Amino acid sequence: MMPAEGETIGTRIDTVRQRIAEACDRSGRDVAGVRLMAVSKTRTPEEIADAAECGLTLFGENKVQEAASKIVRCPGTLEWHLVGHLQRNKVRRALPLFTCIQSVDSRRLIDELDKHATGTTPVLLQINIAGEAAKHGADPAEARELVDAVNATARLEVHGLMTIPPFAPEPEKSRPWFAQLRELRDRLTAETGTPLPELSMGMSNDYAVAIEEGATLVRVGTAIFGKRK
Ligand SMILES: *Cc1c(COP(=O)(O)O)cnc(C)c1O
């Protein structure tokens, strides 16, 4: 789709916010319970500053190297989360950059993060909800063990779950996966007594559906910044 004439980061953010409010209305949720993250991979510090000017404060990056060189050139008031796969040899570099690591998906990564964390570090467990072979994220059947593993660390705190469902052009196709992540969360909370309030799910194409299924954080790139080159 060609961008509509006069479309800017500001007008796109207005549209996203409006659609978030509508999805909250439809599902009887308080709009304060849904955080909008701008996923800024491949975007310049100037584009990020534009989004920050429009009031966005939460940003997501998927590569440690890119984030390390970019974050220092962005407004210092922003909160950054890692939403991409984290290799263990990049843990030390990643920790000082990000408030939250959303892509924790193995016991070995949990151990490495705990070893190098210098303070309390919130994490989300990334779940490969559809069991796709080529995708990162833990198998839903391993999730219980990973919650226990984080609870056994000195410095990590698990705040919830994150998922990237199979790509589908039709947003309704994502709904069952979002519902499954929420149900998995409910089950894990019941079994472990760990509150897992955060559900990071929904991207440009399907964030409205994700909100209807309980998302507390939506990760939006294209719908804010335009098409990636
Ligand atoms: C790129 C990315 C997004 C945003 O994708 P869009 O379709 O551009 O909104 C969200 N989450 C993760 C993990 C990503 O890598």
Side-chain angles (χ1 to χ4, degrees):
M1 223 179 9
M2 287 289 289
E5 204 168 330
E7 220 176 54
T8 63
I9 286 176
T11 60
R12 288 195 208 97
I13 290 172
D14 287 344
T15 302
V16 172
R17 284 194 169 126
Q18 192 182 327
R19 292 191 62 209
I20 289 173
E22 288 164 1
C24 286
D25 273 351
R26 281 196 299 278
S27 44
R29 298 187 55 194
D30 183 345
V31 74
V34 180
R35 281 200 293 168
L36 171 58
M37 162 186 282
V39 179
S40 51
K41 63 192 186 203
T42 78
R43 314 299 177 169
T44 63
E46 291 70 32
E47 290 173 289
I48 292 164
D50 282 351
E53 286 267 310
C54 300
L56 296 193
T57 55
L58 177 60
F59 289 76
E61 286 284 330
N62 71 334
K63 293 200 173 104
V64 175
Q65 177 64 49
E66 181 182 341
S69 64
K70 231 159 64 178
I71 290 175
V72 290
R73 295 186 288 138
C74 291
T77 50
L78 307 180
E79 177 179 351
W80 296 88
H81 291 190
L82 182 67
V83 298
H85 180 63
L86 178 57
Q87 289 172 299
R88 279 179 299 144
N89 63 8
K90 301 226 170 89
V91 159
R92 250 195 284 202
R93 187 112 204 258
L95 278 168
L97 296 170
F98 299 104
T99 309
C100 174
I101 310 291
Q102 293 203 1
S103 49
V104 171
D105 63 358
S106 75
R107 223 193 153 100
R108 294 200 304 170
L109 181 57
I110 289 167
D111 291 343
E112 193 70 12
L113 282 163
D114 190 45
K115 189 163 124 194
H116 296 289
T118 51
T120 305
T121 303
V123 302
L124 302 185
L125 298 178
Q126 182 179 350
I127 305 297
N128 184 355
I129 196 71
E132 292 171 278
K135 223 170 230 176
H136 293 294
D139 190 283
E142 296 167 357
R144 163 86 201 257
E145 181 201 319
L146 295 182
V147 171
D148 291 340
V150 176
N151 284 339
T153 65
R155 297 189 183 81
L156 307 192
E157 266 180 7
V158 58
H159 287 192
L161 307 180
M162 181 272 240
T163 200
I164 309 169
F167 175 76
E170 170 56 55
E172 279 301 324
K173 290 246 159 62
S174 302
R175 186 183 297 276
W177 301 120
F178 296 146
Q180 281 192 33
L181 193 75
R182 186 193 62 235
E183 286 157 12
L184 175 64
R185 185 275 307 276
D186 293 347
R187 218 156 50 236
L188 291 168
T189 297
E191 286 175 11
T192 67
T194 309
L196 299 165
E198 196 87 280
L199 287 178
S200 170
M201 57 190 195
M203 318 203 315
S204 290
N205 197 40
D206 53 17
Y207 63 87
V209 171
I211 290 167
E212 290 171 9
E213 294 301 329
T216 58
L217 189 158
V218 292
R219 307 180 310 266
V220 179
T222 311
I224 288 174
F225 294 107
K227 220 164 145 45
R228 276 184 294 276
K229 311 244 156 49

